[in-house]
């Protein structure tokens, strides 16, 4: 509480395997160019509160993790029971982030009353084949974001290790065009997520869902969301999507775009 952490050579604050952890009224800073200069990475921890804190960093700001690939699955300790309340993020690759190292699972997380100003991405969920693990029961409420140069909200299950906006379309297409493997312990899953009461302005792309054909993003609710962006919301490889009182304002083009790989959509 009341501490400033800055200028780390990689991740700044990294609680690993902790229980009953409170991080309150801290300031975490890294240069914007610091490679892997994350703010705080909560890894395989239980019962965590992050509150009233400020982040201005070179990579993901507030990040949930639980180990990478087989070592993470073998450890098998999820990050669970987390509250992130009343935090501000300036520069960072993501404001609130799950993954991509989530092989032990992430569950029961509530994010509320957050503000992201100039963050590369607002809400960022990411993983890739080989990770395994399940991200589930995530509830996000009362988030404001402005001046976001990439997505306001992204689910990317083809994460390639680069920061938002750094990967070319050709690199992403190469991974997306690979043959889908059988579902196994190496298949990551994201499901049962509610995001509501979100406002965003001056965003490049409002929303992107990019799941895997063998394990689609499942059961996501978007409610009471108002975003003005240069590009609309694009949904791919999703099964179970509820859109309620969502307003996407774009200067041209479609506000909501659904690929044929999206199933079971309810729009109100």
């Amino acid at each position: 509480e009341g501490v400033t952490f800055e200028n780390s050579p990689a991740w700044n604050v990294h609680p690993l395997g902790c229980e009953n952890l409170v991080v309150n009224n801290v300031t975490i800073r890294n240069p914007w160019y610091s490679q892997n200069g994350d703010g705080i990475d909560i890894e395989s921890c239980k019962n965590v509160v992050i509150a009233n804190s400020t982040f201005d960093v070179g990579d993901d700001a507030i990040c949930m993790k639980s180990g990478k690939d087989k070592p993470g699955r073998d450890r098998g300790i999820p990050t669970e029971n987390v509250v992130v309340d009343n935090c501000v993020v300036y520069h960072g690759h993501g404001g609130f982030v799950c993954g991509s190292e989530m092989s032990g699972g992430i569950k029961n997380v509530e994010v509320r009353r957050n503000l992201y100003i100039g963050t590369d991405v607002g809400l960022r969920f990411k993983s890739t084949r080989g990770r395994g693990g399940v991200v589930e029961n995530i509830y996000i409420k009362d988030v404001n974001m402005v001046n976001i140069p990439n997505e306001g909200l992204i689910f990317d299950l083809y994460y390639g290790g680069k920061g938002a906006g750094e990967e070319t379309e050709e690199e992403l297409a190469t991974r997306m065009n690979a043959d889908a493997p059988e579902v196994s312990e190496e298949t990551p899953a994201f499901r049962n997520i509610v995001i509501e009461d979100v406002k965003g302005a001056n965003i490049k792309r409002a929303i992107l869902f990019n799941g895997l054909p063998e394990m689609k993003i499942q059961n996501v609710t978007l409610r009471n969301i108002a975003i003005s962006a240069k590009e609309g919301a694009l949904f791919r490889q999703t099964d179970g999507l509820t859109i309620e009182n969502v307003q996407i304002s774009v200067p041209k083009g479609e506000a909501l775009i659904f690929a044929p790989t999206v199933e079971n959509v309810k729009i109100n």
Side-chain angles (χ1 to χ4, degrees):
E1 183 172 28
V3 180
T4 296
F5 300 92
E6 61 183 350
N7 298 341
S8 67
W11 296 356
N12 203 314
V13 179
H14 178 208
L16 170 61
C18 297
E19 188 168 343
N20 302 333
L21 169 69
V22 176
V23 179
N24 183 46
N25 188 29
V26 303
T27 299
I28 298 178
R29 295 194 293 250
N30 271 342
W32 66 268
Y33 52 81
S34 57
Q35 187 173 11
N36 294 320
D38 294 21
I40 186 167
D41 291 279
I42 305 296
E43 183 172 1
S44 296
C45 295
K46 182 177 182 180
N47 305 338
V48 179
V49 174
I50 304 171
N52 310 312
S53 297
T54 301
F55 302 82
D56 193 342
V57 296
D59 209 303
D60 294 327
I62 306 167
C63 191
M64 305 293 110
K65 297 182 182 290
S66 61
K68 182 178 179 180
D69 299 342
K70 189 177 187 300
R73 296 194 300 273
D74 289 347
R75 185 170 68 204
I77 302 175
T79 285
E80 60 182 326
N81 308 339
V82 180
V83 172
V84 180
D85 181 39
N86 194 36
C87 292
V88 178
V89 178
Y90 296 97
H91 191 271
H93 286 180
F96 171 77
V97 183
C98 285
S100 70
E101 298 91 342
M102 37 61 73
S103 301
I106 299 167
K107 61 184 179 180
N108 307 336
V109 179
E110 180 174 349
V111 180
R112 62 195 185 209
R113 299 193 305 165
N114 275 209
L115 174 62
Y116 309 140
I117 304 174
T119 313
D120 287 355
V121 171
L123 300 167
R124 189 180 191 195
F125 296 81
K126 56 179 177 173
S127 190
T128 191
R129 289 170 175 149
R131 293 283 194 262
V134 178
V135 174
E136 62 183 347
N137 303 338
I138 313 296
Y139 178 62
I140 298 173
K141 179 180 175 67
D142 292 333
V143 172
N144 290 333
M145 59 183 79
V146 65
N147 300 336
I148 307 297
N150 294 284
E151 287 81 11
L153 165 63
I154 186 170
F155 286 83
D156 183 12
L157 276 295
Y158 288 94
Y159 176 64
K162 294 187 177 181
E166 293 179 354
E167 185 173 52
T168 67
E169 290 293 333
E170 290 76 13
E171 289 173 324
L172 176 59
T174 298
R175 290 200 307 282
M176 290 182 62
N177 290 333
D179 293 337
E182 295 291 329
V183 173
S184 70
E185 65 175 11
E186 296 185 356
T187 307
F190 286 68
R191 65 193 184 205
N192 303 336
I193 296 167
V194 176
I195 301 170
E196 65 180 7
D197 299 331
V198 174
K199 295 180 180 178
N202 192 27
I203 295 171
K204 181 182 178 182
R205 178 158 52 187
I207 298 170
L208 174 62
F209 280 38
N210 199 25
L212 298 171
E214 70 271 21
M215 183 63 71
K216 295 184 178 183
I217 301 162
Q218 299 173 337
N219 300 330
V220 178
T221 297
L222 306 178
R223 180 185 299 121
N224 301 336
I225 294 175
I227 293 177
S228 60
K230 297 179 178 66
E231 302 175 33
L234 172 59
F235 300 93
R236 300 189 187 112
Q237 300 292 359
T238 303
D239 185 3
L241 176 64
T242 299
I243 298 176
E244 182 176 333
N245 191 27
V246 172
Q247 301 176 23
I248 307 294
S249 301
V250 292
K252 60 181 180 179
E254 297 293 330
L256 297 174
I257 303 169
F258 300 97
T261 54
V262 178
E263 304 175 281
N264 300 313
V265 179
K266 298 179 181 178
I267 301 177
N268 181 9

